[in-house]
Amino acid sequence: MADPIRTEAEWRALQTALDRRSRSQPHRSPSGATAFLGVLVCTDCGTNMTVQRTTVPGRTYAYLRCRNCPSGGLGAPDPDDVYRRLHAEVMSALGTQPVRVREYARGGTGLRRAEPHWIVAASGETFGDRWEREGPEVMTDDLRRAGVTCRVSRTKIPRTRAPEVGLELRVPHDAVERLIIKQDAFVDLLR
């Protein structure tokens, strides 16, 4: 195409210098950096809690912080502990609820003709079973759809670096109705 403007040795030296100046980013989780995004919210300002990582030589620290409080408010250290506690509270509050699916019934033929309509039927499993099988991403989607939030409070403890982290699960009165799963499948009524 054209003569190179740098020699091979110059190009390699330039790449080495650029590599020295670059900062390596941590690998991203396929589901995102923050689990339960849209469910975990700050008690003080009401915004979503997100994971922020701070790296110092030899160590990476992760905190759940909010967007609107000054400097992210008191960070909630150990996001994994917050996730475990939230998971336990959600399983206690909603895990025994039966999974109900909304399916479209095409209608029947014969003596007892039925018009096409939607039906809601139990799937035979609980939400606890579904969430254990499908994982936290599905649980997060279900909780957001149901309007469930968990308010995260952080309280400074004198002479202690890490704040006390409190969780308050808020389940709307109609959450169970919002948890109905819409199916794409059709059901034929044989009547």
Side-chain angles (χ1 to χ4, degrees):
M1 295 204 208
D3 292 330
I5 55 174
R6 303 256 186 252
T7 66
E8 184 72 22
E10 290 172 329
W11 185 82
R12 288 186 193 280
L14 177 61
Q15 293 304 309
T16 302
L18 289 173
D19 288 343
R20 274 195 309 267
R21 294 181 61 194
S22 71
R23 294 183 183 199
S24 61
Q25 293 289 319
H27 293 288
R28 303 270 187 224
S29 169
S31 61
T34 304
F36 299 105
L37 187 62
V39 176
L40 292 170
V41 295
C42 175
T43 296
D44 299 325
C45 68
T47 60
N48 288 333
M49 301 291 290
T50 57
V51 172
Q52 294 181 356
R53 299 188 193 290
T54 303
T55 303
V56 295
R59 179 95 196 234
T60 299
Y61 297 94
Y63 295 90
L64 278 171
R65 294 193 183 274
C66 61
R67 195 176 44 214
N68 286 346
C69 289
S71 300
L74 291 172
D78 195 5
D80 291 331
D81 179 57
V82 173
Y83 300 155
R84 280 189 295 277
R85 290 172 48 200
L86 172 63
H87 184 272
E89 287 191 29
V90 168
M91 292 298 269
S92 175
L94 297 170
T96 59
Q97 292 293 323
V99 174
R100 297 182 306 151
V101 294
R102 187 178 88 156
E103 299 171 328
Y104 187 73
R106 293 185 190 180
T109 58
L111 296 175
R112 300 177 75 191
R113 282 180 73 188
E115 294 295 320
H117 61 281
W118 289 99
I119 60 172
V120 175
S123 72
E125 72 175 340
T126 65
F127 273 98
D129 298 333
R130 170 182 162 83
W131 294 330
E132 290 298 327
R133 184 184 76 249
E134 299 290 335
E137 291 84 12
V138 169
M139 178 189 264
T140 302
D141 290 342
D142 288 344
L143 294 176
R144 278 194 303 247
R145 188 176 68 253
V148 174
T149 59
C150 182
R151 298 176 72 78
V152 180
S153 63
R154 289 94 63 212
T155 306
K156 178 79 172 128
I157 301 171
R159 296 188 300 271
T160 304
R161 184 175 189 153
E164 180 181 338
V165 178
L167 301 180
E168 179 190 352
L169 189 66
R170 292 194 171 186
V171 180
H173 69 280
D174 62 344
V176 174
E177 291 303 314
R178 293 185 193 180
L179 280 173
I180 294 173
I181 299 169
K182 295 173 177 74
Q183 294 285 82
D184 292 332
F186 291 97
V187 177
D188 287 316
L189 296 177
L190 302 174
R191 296 182 196 233

